[in-house]
Amino acid sequence: MGFTACSDDTDDAPGLDAGGSSSSSGSSSSSSSSSSSSSSSSSSGSPAGDGATNDGAATADAGSDAAAGPDASEGGTLADASPDAGSDAATNANLARAATATATSTFTGYPAANANDGDPAKSWYSASGSCSTNPDGGANLCVTPTGVTLRFTSLQTIGRVTILGNQDYPTTYDALSARIELLDATDTILVSADVTMTRGVEPNGDAEQLFVPARPNVSAVRVLVLSAEGSGPGLGEIEAYAN
Ligand SMILES: [Ca+2]
Ligand SMILES: [Ca+2]
């Protein structure tokens, strides 16, 4: 709606966006490595198992997991057939929904809380100019911290974080890469992982990161956008699961 104001506010953005979009062909090649990048960081725990889990499964997981909740809840038979599947579905709620969201900056009308409201179509956007460093004509780099922190009301065990790109302007305001940090009660980083975004044929937007083994005593999940298409990237949703 008022997002035309965003364009107005960022008269310089079209140039940057053009640079960003032209670079997306470059980042499309890097997106093919996204599954490997998502398998790289946190997976030190069990290389063989992680490789098998992550290879090509990152986006597939996002889809199947999204469907898993409803399917499992309908299917008592599933639980009967496979007790594990039943218990996973019962315990694997999106923990981000109950967290409190804060952001490094916000574009008016698109608050941090949009990042964990359960609606992928409603997004948080950072302020214009958050990611405006564009040294090589490629992606805009977020030199100043740009992102959202989701703080839980009690310590949680986190095994997976999913990021969904914005649906308003998926060709101009997507994050292209991000750092996902799990923080303890003193905001010390327990583990950190860098992800590259993918979304169907588009080389950006969504990402999923597995933390194996799942990390206990997590007080908050912080997602920092590292590079983006435009100067004020947005995220549709951040989800956090025990597994
Ligand atoms: Ca949302
Ligand atoms: Ca995009």
Side-chain angles (χ1 to χ4, degrees):
M1 47 174 207
F3 215 86
T4 48
C6 187
S7 305
D8 294 344
D9 282 2
T10 58
D11 286 342
D12 58 335
L16 296 173
D17 288 347
S21 63
S22 72
S23 78
S24 62
S25 61
S27 64
S28 73
S29 63
S30 73
S31 81
S32 62
S33 67
S34 67
S35 61
S36 63
S37 81
S38 70
S39 67
S40 60
S41 333
S42 73
S43 357
S44 51
S46 125
D50 291 340
T53 308
N54 282 336
D55 281 342
T59 46
D61 274 352
S64 62
D65 285 328
D71 284 347
S73 60
E74 307 163 3
T77 53
L78 259 185
D80 293 345
S82 166
D84 283 346
S87 62
D88 284 353
T91 59
N92 207 26
N94 174 15
L95 301 168
R97 291 298 313 284
T100 299
T102 55
T104 52
S105 69
T106 298
F107 190 89
T108 303
Y110 299 88
N114 283 3
N116 68 329
D117 65 351
D119 182 355
K122 288 180 61 180
S123 295
W124 157 79
Y125 288 90
S126 57
S128 299
S130 297
C131 306
S132 56
T133 301
N134 189 229
D136 58 0
N140 287 2
L141 304 182
C142 309
V143 175
T144 56
T146 300
V148 170
T149 299
L150 300 177
R151 190 163 300 281
F152 303 117
T153 54
S154 59
L155 297 179
Q156 303 291 339
T157 295
I158 301 298
R160 178 165 56 97
V161 173
T162 298
I163 300 171
L164 302 178
N166 84 82
Q167 297 181 5
D168 307 297
Y169 301 95
T171 60
T172 47
Y173 287 89
D174 264 334
L176 295 171
S177 62
R179 176 162 299 159
I180 300 171
E181 298 171 339
L182 304 186
L183 310 178
D184 72 8
T186 63
D187 278 354
T188 298
I189 299 172
L190 295 168
V191 61
S192 163
D194 289 357
V195 294
T196 301
M197 310 321 213
T198 60
R199 177 192 279 157
V201 295
E202 238 208 44
N204 38 62
D206 303 343
E208 181 175 69
Q209 178 65 46
L210 302 179
F211 295 97
V212 181
R215 297 309 199 277
N217 301 315
V218 177
S219 179
V221 174
R222 181 161 59 199
V223 174
L224 294 171
V225 180
L226 301 178
S227 65
E229 292 170 325
S231 76
L235 300 175
E237 198 74 9
I238 301 169
E239 300 172 347
Y241 298 91
N243 55 67

